[in-house]
Amino acid sequence: MDIKRVGVIGCGLMGSGIAQVCAEAGFDVLVREVDETFLKKGLGKIDAFLAKGVEKGKVTAERKAEVMGHLRGTTALEDLADRDIVIEAAVENIALKREVFQALDGLLGKDAIFASNTSSLSITEMAAVTRRPERFVGLHFFNPVPLMKLVEVVRSPLTAPEVFEAAYAFALVLGKQPIRANDTGGFIVNRLLVPYLLDAIRALEEGVGSIEDIDRGMVLGCGHPMGPLTLLDFVGLDTTYFIAGIMFDEFHEKRFAAPPLLKRMVQAGLFGRKSGKGFYDYGQEPPRPMSQLV
Ligand SMILES: NC(=O)c1ccc[n+]([C@@H]2O[C@H](COP(=O)([O-])OP(=O)(O)OC[C@H]3O[C@@H](n4cnc5c(N)ncnc54)[C@H](O)[C@@H]3O)[C@@H](O)[C@H]2O)c1
């Protein structure tokens, strides 16, 4: 399968990273956003990332210009009609994703591949809204996309083997290290990671240890690069709460159920780094553990 032209839906945190790695690999990349403001912001993020690379001497100014030259933006979905693969990285909302893929189904050529970067929604459910579910895969990148090597390549029961292998090969061309996964809630990584993160919150709720000691325990005792509560603040507590809900609906197992403390924190707007406060207060340097959580 010959992939030359890549379409990306959404130029937020993940979409901008995906567009960047595709442009770095030499693909012709067209990114679609909802309006000019989001588009400018998203493409600006890529420019800033590369500019920092130039500053640090990691990339030349010529290379930066070459990568940016492979990238274009649009607000019109129709412009994606000539794409060989479209990777959707819009917000984690099934209704929105279904709508996007239904529209793309009417636009893309017969050999195009449909891909979603969803973290927790069903690939099969999205594929089912197209008339060619055999051409649908999950391509689950990790944040920050330009730095993280892993891509989970996900198949639904209807994905054609040659499409699955083409998507796997595409991830390799992007310089990533793909793994194969079947379409069950959370795929491989979140299936294992989410219960661990939720358990760290339960340990805090049950008074097993303090915020700092739970984090320090996993860093020093298990060699993790950061503790679970710090990681939760990075991922976003709102995002984690949403993913836990989807996984609980899928498996009906307690290990995927959001602990009451997580729910309370989301209700209070304590989303982690992005809101300035989560398990830690980022208004302080270094960030200080939040008091009064339990
Ligand atoms: N944040 C993570 O760490 C992470 C990791 C892996 C996968 N994901 C998944 O990637 C997807 C995107 O997450 P994100 O963190 O980049 O979110 P984000 O909010 O940063 O970006 C989403 C972008 O999509 C745009 N958008 C919404 N509807 C659109 C449409 N119809 N067409 C084009 N653009 C549209 C929004 O304007 C926004 O800029 C989600 O499905 C999420 O689950 C996120």
Side-chain angles (χ1 to χ4, degrees):
M1 247 165 242
D2 203 12
I3 298 176
K4 289 197 179 72
R5 293 176 295 265
V6 178
V8 179
I9 304 280
C11 201
L13 188 66
M14 297 303 289
S16 63
I18 295 168
Q20 181 181 329
V21 296
C22 292
E24 284 174 349
F27 292 101
D28 171 68
V29 184
L30 184 58
V31 195
R32 193 258 172 150
E33 254 296 349
V34 285
D35 63 33
E36 288 295 340
T37 313
F38 277 106
L39 193 56
K40 213 169 145 204
K41 193 172 157 210
L43 293 174
K45 237 183 281 179
I46 303 173
D47 195 82
F49 187 100
L50 294 170
K52 209 176 270 175
V54 175
E55 230 171 75
K56 289 183 180 163
K58 287 186 182 164
V59 218
T60 63
E62 293 72 33
R63 171 67 178 150
K64 174 177 177 277
E66 185 191 329
V67 172
M68 291 309 292
H70 291 309
L71 267 168
R72 282 176 300 131
T74 182
T75 55
L77 198 67
E78 304 76 62
D79 290 347
L80 270 63
D82 68 345
R83 301 290 104 180
D84 301 314
I85 185 168
V86 173
I87 306 164
E88 171 275 320
V91 284
E92 190 78 333
N93 176 307
I94 189 68
L96 174 86
K97 289 183 195 282
R98 286 169 58 112
E99 194 182 304
V100 167
F101 283 115
Q102 213 156 23
L104 284 172
D105 192 27
L107 290 173
L108 299 182
K110 70 173 183 30
D111 292 329
I113 296 178
F114 297 72
S116 174
N117 181 53
T118 181
S119 308
S120 55
L121 296 168
S122 163
I123 295 297
T124 314
E125 186 175 353
M126 286 178 242
V129 303
T130 71
R131 287 161 300 172
R132 32 189 167 157
E134 69 284 358
R135 305 207 61 79
F136 205 111
V137 292
L139 274 180
H140 184 214
F141 291 81
F142 287 74
N143 179 33
V145 181
L147 305 180
M148 296 291 276
K149 283 283 172 199
L150 184 66
V151 176
E152 289 183 293
V153 186
V154 185
R155 69 188 137 213
S156 86
L158 299 173
T159 306
E162 66 275 16
V163 171
F164 188 63
E165 292 311 320
Y168 187 94
F170 174 70
L172 283 176
V173 174
L174 296 182
K176 299 300 182 194
Q177 292 176 12
I179 56 175
R180 296 176 170 86
N182 287 325
D183 183 27
T184 55
F187 316 129
I188 295 173
V189 173
N190 280 337
R191 164 93 171 238
L192 300 178
L193 179 66
V194 171
Y196 157 69
L197 294 176
L198 299 177
D199 245 352
I201 303 174
R202 281 189 266 272
L204 181 67
E205 272 179 337
E206 290 164 20
V208 177
S210 67
I211 293 173
E212 275 170 309
D213 283 349
I214 289 171
D215 273 352
R216 210 179 290 145
M218 295 311 290
V219 171
L220 299 177
C222 297
H224 288 195
M226 64 179 82
L229 303 172
T230 301
L231 179 55
L232 277 158
D233 277 355
F234 261 105
V235 173
L237 301 194
D238 51 339
T239 305
T240 307
Y241 181 63
F242 193 68
I243 291 175
I246 292 171
M247 294 183 75
F248 185 77
D249 279 349
E250 172 109 348
F251 298 108
H252 293 282
E253 290 177 29
K254 184 179 177 238
R255 63 198 171 114
F256 298 109
L261 175 60
L262 177 62
K263 188 174 177 183
R264 292 293 165 270
M265 290 178 73
V266 172
Q267 286 171 338
L270 301 171
F271 296 158
R273 276 189 175 266
K274 62 177 149 188
S275 69
K277 282 182 186 160
F279 290 102
Y280 293 86
D281 180 347
Y282 296 92
Q284 322 268 336
E285 199 44 55
R288 282 239 295 272
M290 289 280 285
S291 54
Q292 286 186 302
L293 286 183
V294 282

